[in-house]
Amino acid sequence: MKITVIHGQGHKGITYTMTKTVLEFLTTPNDEINEFFLPKDGPGFCVGCNNCFMKGEEFCPSADKVQPIIKSMEESEIIILDSPNYVMEMSGNMKNLMDHFAYRWITHRPHANMFKKVGLTISSSAGAPPNNTVKSMAKQLKWMGVPKVYKFALISNALNISTISAKKEAELKQKAEKIAAKVKRRAKNPHASLKGKIMFYMFRKMQSSPDAAWNPKDRDWWIEQGWIEKVRPWK
């Protein structure tokens, strides 16, 4: 099994520890884990040039950074995004990376493999609920076609991993074990969701329309995949 992990921060704090704990319960020595740490492994800021949409992802000024990450995601069964709760949202580093993935949204050129994956979003905060952060990251994966995204949020009541209480550490491990079991079960039986199929058919209709010619790159992609005809990405 292949797993891609994208860390929305470079330091190894509480959120990182949550992810590592999940991986301990989720993986075996035979599994392949590809980790990316932002901003070190990520691209520069998206400049809104529209090259990824209109010309192709290889024309992005940061393609050398973006493509290794997106290809790892497309080749993995499980995708994990983690970020500390920064002002009730994902880190700027993570958001910037998601900006670069916009061309892979269902509205444009989704990859067929994404419709059969499992996602997990992870976030911690010292006090304010990080629920919005995990939901926001999950939304990004769902719009890329991932049918099921689990969420792991934790209020740590601590500023860093060295100050977390024994009680909170026990809570972290307990929740990590439960969420890992859910992810593992789903990964053994990957399938598209009803919502994902509805979104696919909605945008299939859009790409089948003559009006879709405003972006031939997207329309050609749907035609090449056979999705305008009878081929479906989840089969």
Side-chain angles (χ1 to χ4, degrees):
M1 182 168 64
K2 291 184 179 181
I3 301 172
T4 293
V5 182
I6 303 175
H7 302 282
Q9 71 295 317
H11 66 276
K12 299 179 178 181
I14 296 172
T15 301
Y16 171 85
T17 302
M18 291 166 66
T19 298
K20 282 299 184 181
T21 306
V22 168
L23 290 173
E24 289 174 6
F25 289 113
L26 179 63
T27 61
T28 70
N30 295 324
D31 294 324
E32 179 183 332
I33 304 172
N34 293 322
E35 293 186 270
F36 299 92
F37 290 86
L38 304 177
K40 178 176 68 69
D41 299 324
F45 286 115
C46 174
V47 296
C49 64
N50 287 322
N51 281 345
C52 62
F53 293 124
M54 308 306 293
K55 295 182 178 181
E57 55 270 28
E58 67 272 23
F59 292 96
C60 170
S62 297
D64 61 325
K65 290 283 190 176
V66 175
Q67 288 308 302
I69 302 177
I70 196 69
K71 289 186 183 301
S72 178
M73 293 170 66
E74 292 165 355
E75 294 170 357
S76 296
E77 286 78 23
I78 298 170
I79 301 170
I80 299 176
L81 306 181
D82 76 33
S83 173
N85 183 41
Y86 290 161
V87 291
M88 307 301 286
E89 256 294 355
M90 70 182 85
S91 69
N93 298 317
M94 181 67 81
K95 177 59 171 63
N96 177 57
L97 181 63
M98 295 301 109
D99 290 345
H100 284 281
F101 291 164
Y103 76 94
R104 277 294 189 226
W105 273 33
I106 299 177
T107 45
H108 297 285
R109 301 195 300 279
H111 195 285
N113 289 349
M114 300 300 281
F115 289 85
K116 296 171 285 187
K117 300 187 183 302
V118 186
L120 172 61
T121 58
I122 299 174
S123 182
S124 69
S125 70
N131 295 337
N132 186 65
T133 301
V134 291
K135 288 180 181 178
S136 187
M137 290 189 290
K139 178 176 67 176
Q140 299 296 323
L141 292 179
K142 289 179 179 178
W143 273 94
M144 284 188 274
V146 178
K148 182 63 178 179
V149 183
Y150 294 94
K151 306 173 192 69
F152 180 14
L154 179 74
I155 298 176
S156 65
N157 295 332
L159 290 177
N160 52 59
I161 193 63
S162 64
T163 60
I164 194 169
S165 68
K167 181 179 179 180
K168 277 294 178 181
E169 187 174 4
E171 179 185 345
L172 186 159
K173 290 182 179 179
Q174 183 182 45
K175 289 184 175 181
E177 184 175 12
K178 288 183 178 180
I179 204 77
K182 291 180 180 179
V183 171
K184 187 179 294 186
R185 283 196 299 269
R186 180 75 183 209
K188 289 180 179 179
N189 181 33
H191 56 276
S193 65
L194 177 60
K195 183 178 180 180
K197 289 182 179 180
I198 291 173
M199 292 174 68
F200 172 86
Y201 281 115
M202 181 173 65
F203 293 111
R204 174 183 176 272
K205 183 177 181 180
M206 183 187 78
Q207 293 295 344
S208 301
S209 168
D211 293 337
W214 76 270
N215 189 354
K217 188 70 178 179
D218 288 352
R219 181 174 170 77
D220 288 349
W221 174 260
W222 283 72
I223 293 173
E224 290 167 6
Q225 306 309 305
W227 296 341
I228 301 298
E229 302 299 329
K230 296 182 178 181
V231 177
R232 298 295 176 262
W234 51 82
K235 293 182 180 181

